[in-house]
Amino acid sequence: SKAPVRVAVTGAAGQIGYSLLFRIASGEMLGKDQPVILQLLDLPQAQKAVQGVIMELEDCAFPLLAGVVATDDPNVAFKDADYCLLVGARPRGPGMERADLLTANGAIFTVQGKAIAENANENVKVLVVGNPCNTNAYIARAAAIKVGRTNPNNYHGMLRLDHNRALSQLSAKTGRPVSSFKQMVVWGNHSPTMYADYRFATSNGDNVKALVNDAVWNNDVFLPTVGKRGAAIIDARGLSSAASAANAAIDHMHDWALGSDDWVTMGVPAPAGNSYGIPEGVVFGFPCECKGGSFKVIEGLEIDAYSKEKIQKTLDELEGERAAVADMLK
Ligand code: NAI
């Protein structure tokens, strides 16, 4: 049998944590033959709640769960970690400006990026879920680069929920099952500016753009529905979209670790000289191929005028976020 791998999860006492940890422990993320040790990080005041979650993990008697560590110290949580899911973040409080939110999270993710680079496995795969996730991933990566040791390409932000939301909307529009769709892409920031793009998508071999053939729906219904889905769920449920966010995190890590025969949208550091003109290192939603534990941005897709404008808009937003945290990275 395989040796256990170490999976660090931050914000372990939170809502997403409650949907995520049980699925990791049951083998849904890394495979039903892969034992895992969970290393749970949360704030000091959340440690009692983390203990409650651990009691429930124990009571599931998961055959693959080879150990659990609970801590409020990032250096302990990330020690020898093979995978890090950074879910905990500072939420936007009353009267908090966007710039305050960015710097409050900047402080968290500089500490965590450094702690990962100093303590984790050199090949660690890091996924930032906590918002603003693209910029938080960018910050963690920048802090990690200062330390060296880990792979700078392995600091990701989560765009997979947007990808999955887009698939469900396309399924509803066309009456085709979600599983029929391939080659979906969501470009840019995990925010309402993201650009969900089905120009390259197929459904059982049919071109999805031709199948939909409805530019008004695309612009006035599809993009706003996908972009504002998080707010719609908070409005309906009184709570955020924790289960679907956890599901998307499982999907992202699963495909990265074990591969996929489809395109996968990942928020990844833009490769130097990429064909889309995204500045190197900006954590941006791109179509990726995943194979053998690594990923590659799919280059050279045609970008028409409409798409160019959409991609520029979401890039401009990310560049604004980057400027707001630039001082913290000196
Ligand atoms: P939550 O408030 O229920 O839980 C957050 C947990 O993180 C709490 O237990 C808190 O104590 C902990 N935490 C805060 N700061 C921490 C730190 N510095 N280190 C370790 N733990 C820390 O929130 P929920 O619903 O679990 O959401 C977590 C994050 O995920 C939020 O930032 C949310 O905006 C984001 N999110 C991202 C999505 C995406 O698609 N990228 C989708 C949905 C949510």
Side-chain angles (χ1 to χ4, degrees), residues 42 65 87 89 91 97 106 115 155 161 169 172 175 194 202 210 229 235 241 247 268 275 278 285 287 295 324:
D42 209 306
L65 188 56
V87 178
E97 297 294 331
Y155 290 78
L161 182 52
Q169 294 303 316
M194 58 88 232
T202 60
R229 188 72 162 178
D235 184 50
S241 46
N247 180 69
V268 304
S275 64
I278 309 302
F295 73 96

PDB file of all heavy atoms in Angstrom, residues 42 65 87 89 91 97 106 115 155 161 169 172 175 194 202 210 229 235 241 247 268 275 278 285 287 295 324:
ATOM      1  N   ASP A  42      -5.909  26.680  11.994  1.00  0.00           N
ATOM      2  CA  ASP A  42      -6.918  27.728  12.169  1.00  0.00           C
ATOM      3  C   ASP A  42      -6.431  28.670  13.260  1.00  0.00           C
ATOM      4  O   ASP A  42      -5.387  28.433  13.878  1.00  0.00           O
ATOM      5  CB  ASP A  42      -8.309  27.131  12.468  1.00  0.00           C
ATOM      6  CG  ASP A  42      -9.436  28.054  11.964  1.00  0.00           C
ATOM      7  OD1 ASP A  42      -9.437  29.249  12.337  1.00  0.00           O
ATOM      8  OD2 ASP A  42     -10.298  27.588  11.204  1.00  0.00           O
ATOM      9  N   LEU A  65      -7.559   7.639   6.395  1.00  0.00           N
ATOM     10  CA  LEU A  65      -7.085   8.731   7.252  1.00  0.00           C
ATOM     11  C   LEU A  65      -6.007   8.207   8.199  1.00  0.00           C
ATOM     12  O   LEU A  65      -6.282   7.511   9.172  1.00  0.00           O
ATOM     13  CB  LEU A  65      -8.248   9.351   8.018  1.00  0.00           C
ATOM     14  CG  LEU A  65      -7.906  10.620   8.810  1.00  0.00           C
ATOM     15  CD1 LEU A  65      -7.304  11.701   7.916  1.00  0.00           C
ATOM     16  CD2 LEU A  65      -9.136  11.154   9.535  1.00  0.00           C
ATOM     17  N   VAL A  87      -7.683  27.878   2.697  1.00  0.00           N
ATOM     18  CA  VAL A  87      -9.104  28.252   2.689  1.00  0.00           C
ATOM     19  C   VAL A  87      -9.369  29.424   3.631  1.00  0.00           C
ATOM     20  O   VAL A  87     -10.169  30.300   3.337  1.00  0.00           O
ATOM     21  CB  VAL A  87      -9.969  27.030   3.090  1.00  0.00           C
ATOM     22  CG1 VAL A  87     -11.442  27.399   3.131  1.00  0.00           C
ATOM     23  CG2 VAL A  87      -9.726  25.855   2.134  1.00  0.00           C
ATOM     24  N   ALA A  89      -9.263  32.854   5.429  1.00  0.00           N
ATOM     25  CA  ALA A  89      -8.921  34.210   4.971  1.00  0.00           C
ATOM     26  C   ALA A  89      -9.683  35.186   5.829  1.00  0.00           C
ATOM     27  O   ALA A  89     -10.578  34.813   6.582  1.00  0.00           O
ATOM     28  CB  ALA A  89      -9.272  34.383   3.499  1.00  0.00           C
ATOM     29  N   PRO A  91     -12.440  37.717   6.190  1.00  0.00           N
ATOM     30  CA  PRO A  91     -13.628  38.146   5.458  1.00  0.00           C
ATOM     31  C   PRO A  91     -13.774  39.662   5.497  1.00  0.00           C
ATOM     32  O   PRO A  91     -13.172  40.324   6.347  1.00  0.00           O
ATOM     33  CB  PRO A  91     -14.780  37.462   6.184  1.00  0.00           C
ATOM     34  CG  PRO A  91     -14.280  37.194   7.561  1.00  0.00           C
ATOM     35  CD  PRO A  91     -12.779  37.147   7.506  1.00  0.00           C
ATOM     36  N   GLU A  97     -13.035  48.683   3.403  1.00  0.00           N
ATOM     37  CA  GLU A  97     -12.838  48.988   1.991  1.00  0.00           C
ATOM     38  C   GLU A  97     -12.125  47.818   1.317  1.00  0.00           C
ATOM     39  O   GLU A  97     -11.461  47.018   1.987  1.00  0.00           O
ATOM     40  CB  GLU A  97     -11.986  50.252   1.828  1.00  0.00           C
ATOM     41  CG  GLU A  97     -12.600  51.519   2.388  1.00  0.00           C
ATOM     42  CD  GLU A  97     -13.860  51.951   1.648  1.00  0.00           C
ATOM     43  OE1 GLU A  97     -13.958  51.645   0.442  1.00  0.00           O
ATOM     44  OE2 GLU A  97     -14.730  52.569   2.275  1.00  0.00           O
ATOM     45  N   GLY A 106      -3.253  40.205   2.561  1.00  0.00           N
ATOM     46  CA  GLY A 106      -1.835  40.215   2.180  1.00  0.00           C
ATOM     47  C   GLY A 106      -0.961  39.809   3.350  1.00  0.00           C
ATOM     48  O   GLY A 106      -0.017  39.031   3.213  1.00  0.00           O
ATOM     49  N   ALA A 115       5.951  30.389   5.176  1.00  0.00           N
ATOM     50  CA  ALA A 115       5.941  29.165   5.993  1.00  0.00           C
ATOM     51  C   ALA A 115       5.874  27.915   5.112  1.00  0.00           C
ATOM     52  O   ALA A 115       6.504  26.896   5.424  1.00  0.00           O
ATOM     53  CB  ALA A 115       4.766  29.193   6.975  1.00  0.00           C
ATOM     54  N   TYR A 155       1.693  27.613  -7.108  1.00  0.00           N
ATOM     55  CA  TYR A 155       0.830  28.429  -6.244  1.00  0.00           C
ATOM     56  C   TYR A 155      -0.379  28.863  -7.062  1.00  0.00           C
ATOM     57  O   TYR A 155      -0.265  29.726  -7.933  1.00  0.00           O
ATOM     58  CB  TYR A 155       1.627  29.621  -5.682  1.00  0.00           C
ATOM     59  CG  TYR A 155       2.660  29.176  -4.666  1.00  0.00           C
ATOM     60  CD1 TYR A 155       3.862  28.612  -5.077  1.00  0.00           C
ATOM     61  CD2 TYR A 155       2.394  29.253  -3.306  1.00  0.00           C
ATOM     62  CE1 TYR A 155       4.794  28.151  -4.143  1.00  0.00           C
ATOM     63  CE2 TYR A 155       3.325  28.797  -2.367  1.00  0.00           C
ATOM     64  CZ  TYR A 155       4.507  28.252  -2.795  1.00  0.00           C
ATOM     65  OH  TYR A 155       5.422  27.796  -1.867  1.00  0.00           O
ATOM     66  N   LEU A 161     -14.597  26.653  -9.381  1.00  0.00           N
ATOM     67  CA  LEU A 161     -16.023  26.817  -9.074  1.00  0.00           C
ATOM     68  C   LEU A 161     -16.708  27.583 -10.205  1.00  0.00           C
ATOM     69  O   LEU A 161     -17.821  27.238 -10.617  1.00  0.00           O
ATOM     70  CB  LEU A 161     -16.193  27.530  -7.727  1.00  0.00           C
ATOM     71  CG  LEU A 161     -17.621  27.746  -7.235  1.00  0.00           C
ATOM     72  CD1 LEU A 161     -18.442  26.462  -7.234  1.00  0.00           C
ATOM     73  CD2 LEU A 161     -17.616  28.376  -5.846  1.00  0.00           C
ATOM     74  N   GLN A 169     -24.752  25.966 -16.083  1.00  0.00           N
ATOM     75  CA  GLN A 169     -25.610  26.883 -16.848  1.00  0.00           C
ATOM     76  C   GLN A 169     -25.749  26.431 -18.304  1.00  0.00           C
ATOM     77  O   GLN A 169     -26.827  26.520 -18.894  1.00  0.00           O
ATOM     78  CB  GLN A 169     -25.054  28.319 -16.799  1.00  0.00           C
ATOM     79  CG  GLN A 169     -25.093  28.948 -15.410  1.00  0.00           C
ATOM     80  CD  GLN A 169     -26.487  28.970 -14.799  1.00  0.00           C
ATOM     81  OE1 GLN A 169     -27.470  29.302 -15.463  1.00  0.00           O
ATOM     82  NE2 GLN A 169     -26.591  28.596 -13.542  1.00  0.00           N
ATOM     83  N   ALA A 172     -28.173  23.549 -18.465  1.00  0.00           N
ATOM     84  CA  ALA A 172     -29.571  23.980 -18.356  1.00  0.00           C
ATOM     85  C   ALA A 172     -30.050  24.618 -19.665  1.00  0.00           C
ATOM     86  O   ALA A 172     -31.182  24.396 -20.101  1.00  0.00           O
ATOM     87  CB  ALA A 172     -29.727  24.967 -17.197  1.00  0.00           C
ATOM     88  N   GLY A 175     -30.008  21.634 -22.459  1.00  0.00           N
ATOM     89  CA  GLY A 175     -30.656  20.362 -22.154  1.00  0.00           C
ATOM     90  C   GLY A 175     -29.724  19.162 -22.269  1.00  0.00           C
ATOM     91  O   GLY A 175     -30.170  18.019 -22.247  1.00  0.00           O
ATOM     92  N   MET A 194     -14.781  37.708 -14.137  1.00  0.00           N
ATOM     93  CA  MET A 194     -14.255  36.529 -14.852  1.00  0.00           C
ATOM     94  C   MET A 194     -14.976  36.376 -16.185  1.00  0.00           C
ATOM     95  O   MET A 194     -16.125  36.766 -16.329  1.00  0.00           O
ATOM     96  CB  MET A 194     -14.393  35.266 -13.991  1.00  0.00           C
ATOM     97  CG  MET A 194     -15.785  34.923 -13.541  1.00  0.00           C
ATOM     98  SD  MET A 194     -16.641  33.903 -14.716  1.00  0.00           S
ATOM     99  CE  MET A 194     -18.157  34.826 -14.930  1.00  0.00           C
ATOM    100  N   THR A 202     -17.076  21.672 -26.557  1.00  0.00           N
ATOM    101  CA  THR A 202     -17.873  20.734 -27.334  1.00  0.00           C
ATOM    102  C   THR A 202     -18.810  19.991 -26.387  1.00  0.00           C
ATOM    103  O   THR A 202     -18.572  19.903 -25.192  1.00  0.00           O
ATOM    104  CB  THR A 202     -16.990  19.693 -28.056  1.00  0.00           C
ATOM    105  OG1 THR A 202     -16.249  18.956 -27.081  1.00  0.00           O
ATOM    106  CG2 THR A 202     -16.029  20.363 -29.032  1.00  0.00           C
ATOM    107  N   ALA A 210     -22.113  27.114 -31.382  1.00  0.00           N
ATOM    108  CA  ALA A 210     -23.122  26.960 -32.443  1.00  0.00           C
ATOM    109  C   ALA A 210     -24.429  26.415 -31.864  1.00  0.00           C
ATOM    110  O   ALA A 210     -25.522  26.819 -32.262  1.00  0.00           O
ATOM    111  CB  ALA A 210     -22.588  26.041 -33.537  1.00  0.00           C
ATOM    112  N   ARG A 229     -23.026  34.306  -9.115  1.00  0.00           N
ATOM    113  CA  ARG A 229     -23.634  33.120  -8.511  1.00  0.00           C
ATOM    114  C   ARG A 229     -23.387  33.061  -6.999  1.00  0.00           C
ATOM    115  O   ARG A 229     -24.258  32.660  -6.238  1.00  0.00           O
ATOM    116  CB  ARG A 229     -23.059  31.876  -9.195  1.00  0.00           C
ATOM    117  CG  ARG A 229     -23.740  30.601  -8.810  1.00  0.00           C
ATOM    118  CD  ARG A 229     -25.124  30.501  -9.402  1.00  0.00           C
ATOM    119  NE  ARG A 229     -25.600  29.126  -9.374  1.00  0.00           N
ATOM    120  CZ  ARG A 229     -26.785  28.753  -9.788  1.00  0.00           C
ATOM    121  NH1 ARG A 229     -27.631  29.642 -10.284  1.00  0.00           N
ATOM    122  NH2 ARG A 229     -27.142  27.490  -9.723  1.00  0.00           N
ATOM    123  N   ASP A 235     -27.685  35.096  -0.893  1.00  0.00           N
ATOM    124  CA  ASP A 235     -29.023  35.665  -0.783  1.00  0.00           C
ATOM    125  C   ASP A 235     -30.067  34.582  -0.481  1.00  0.00           C
ATOM    126  O   ASP A 235     -30.946  34.762   0.364  1.00  0.00           O
ATOM    127  CB  ASP A 235     -29.354  36.404  -2.085  1.00  0.00           C
ATOM    128  CG  ASP A 235     -30.700  37.100  -2.013  1.00  0.00           C
ATOM    129  OD1 ASP A 235     -30.919  37.821  -1.024  1.00  0.00           O
ATOM    130  OD2 ASP A 235     -31.537  36.884  -2.912  1.00  0.00           O
ATOM    131  N   SER A 241     -21.497  29.771  -0.471  1.00  0.00           N
ATOM    132  CA  SER A 241     -21.538  28.523  -1.256  1.00  0.00           C
ATOM    133  C   SER A 241     -20.393  27.598  -0.845  1.00  0.00           C
ATOM    134  O   SER A 241     -19.476  27.349  -1.621  1.00  0.00           O
ATOM    135  CB  SER A 241     -21.424  28.869  -2.736  1.00  0.00           C
ATOM    136  OG  SER A 241     -20.382  29.823  -2.947  1.00  0.00           O
ATOM    137  N   ASN A 247     -16.213  21.360  -3.207  1.00  0.00           N
ATOM    138  CA  ASN A 247     -16.226  20.428  -4.336  1.00  0.00           C
ATOM    139  C   ASN A 247     -15.256  20.860  -5.434  1.00  0.00           C
ATOM    140  O   ASN A 247     -14.532  20.052  -6.017  1.00  0.00           O
ATOM    141  CB  ASN A 247     -17.651  20.339  -4.898  1.00  0.00           C
ATOM    142  CG  ASN A 247     -17.738  19.403  -6.070  1.00  0.00           C
ATOM    143  OD1 ASN A 247     -17.592  18.192  -5.909  1.00  0.00           O
ATOM    144  ND2 ASN A 247     -17.928  19.961  -7.253  1.00  0.00           N
ATOM    145  N   VAL A 268      -3.539  30.076 -12.414  1.00  0.00           N
ATOM    146  CA  VAL A 268      -2.104  29.737 -12.306  1.00  0.00           C
ATOM    147  C   VAL A 268      -1.266  30.961 -12.663  1.00  0.00           C
ATOM    148  O   VAL A 268      -1.726  31.855 -13.375  1.00  0.00           O
ATOM    149  CB  VAL A 268      -1.733  28.531 -13.206  1.00  0.00           C
ATOM    150  CG1 VAL A 268      -2.604  27.332 -12.874  1.00  0.00           C
ATOM    151  CG2 VAL A 268      -1.821  28.866 -14.675  1.00  0.00           C
ATOM    152  N   SER A 275       0.898  33.391 -24.871  1.00  0.00           N
ATOM    153  CA  SER A 275       0.321  33.917 -26.117  1.00  0.00           C
ATOM    154  C   SER A 275      -0.850  34.863 -25.864  1.00  0.00           C
ATOM    155  O   SER A 275      -1.348  35.483 -26.799  1.00  0.00           O
ATOM    156  CB  SER A 275      -0.136  32.759 -27.005  1.00  0.00           C
ATOM    157  OG  SER A 275      -1.186  32.051 -26.378  1.00  0.00           O
ATOM    158  N   ILE A 278      -0.755  38.019 -20.941  1.00  0.00           N
ATOM    159  CA  ILE A 278      -0.945  38.244 -19.499  1.00  0.00           C
ATOM    160  C   ILE A 278       0.449  38.359 -18.860  1.00  0.00           C
ATOM    161  O   ILE A 278       1.300  37.491 -19.071  1.00  0.00           O
ATOM    162  CB  ILE A 278      -1.725  37.066 -18.849  1.00  0.00           C
ATOM    163  CG1 ILE A 278      -3.018  36.767 -19.627  1.00  0.00           C
ATOM    164  CG2 ILE A 278      -2.001  37.356 -17.378  1.00  0.00           C
ATOM    165  CD1 ILE A 278      -3.986  37.921 -19.754  1.00  0.00           C
ATOM    166  N   GLY A 285      -6.976  32.901 -14.399  1.00  0.00           N
ATOM    167  CA  GLY A 285      -7.679  31.705 -14.873  1.00  0.00           C
ATOM    168  C   GLY A 285      -7.309  31.417 -16.318  1.00  0.00           C
ATOM    169  O   GLY A 285      -7.519  32.260 -17.192  1.00  0.00           O
ATOM    170  N   PRO A 287      -7.070  27.978 -19.370  1.00  0.00           N
ATOM    171  CA  PRO A 287      -7.299  26.558 -19.652  1.00  0.00           C
ATOM    172  C   PRO A 287      -5.984  25.808 -19.480  1.00  0.00           C
ATOM    173  O   PRO A 287      -4.944  26.264 -19.964  1.00  0.00           O
ATOM    174  CB  PRO A 287      -7.724  26.560 -21.131  1.00  0.00           C
ATOM    175  CG  PRO A 287      -7.105  27.797 -21.719  1.00  0.00           C
ATOM    176  CD  PRO A 287      -7.034  28.801 -20.597  1.00  0.00           C
ATOM    177  N   PHE A 295       0.909  20.393 -14.673  1.00  0.00           N
ATOM    178  CA  PHE A 295      -0.104  21.067 -15.477  1.00  0.00           C
ATOM    179  C   PHE A 295       0.610  21.966 -16.480  1.00  0.00           C
ATOM    180  O   PHE A 295       1.760  22.363 -16.281  1.00  0.00           O
ATOM    181  CB  PHE A 295      -1.015  21.924 -14.578  1.00  0.00           C
ATOM    182  CG  PHE A 295      -0.315  23.167 -14.093  1.00  0.00           C
ATOM    183  CD1 PHE A 295      -0.471  24.380 -14.752  1.00  0.00           C
ATOM    184  CD2 PHE A 295       0.546  23.111 -13.012  1.00  0.00           C
ATOM    185  CE1 PHE A 295       0.213  25.514 -14.339  1.00  0.00           C
ATOM    186  CE2 PHE A 295       1.238  24.236 -12.603  1.00  0.00           C
ATOM    187  CZ  PHE A 295       1.074  25.440 -13.252  1.00  0.00           C
ATOM    188  N   ALA A 324      -2.410  47.360  -5.287  1.00  0.00           N
ATOM    189  CA  ALA A 324      -2.799  47.645  -3.901  1.00  0.00           C
ATOM    190  C   ALA A 324      -1.928  46.899  -2.888  1.00  0.00           C
ATOM    191  O   ALA A 324      -1.818  47.321  -1.741  1.00  0.00           O
ATOM    192  CB  ALA A 324      -4.274  47.296  -3.691  1.00  0.00           C
TER     193      ALA A 324
END
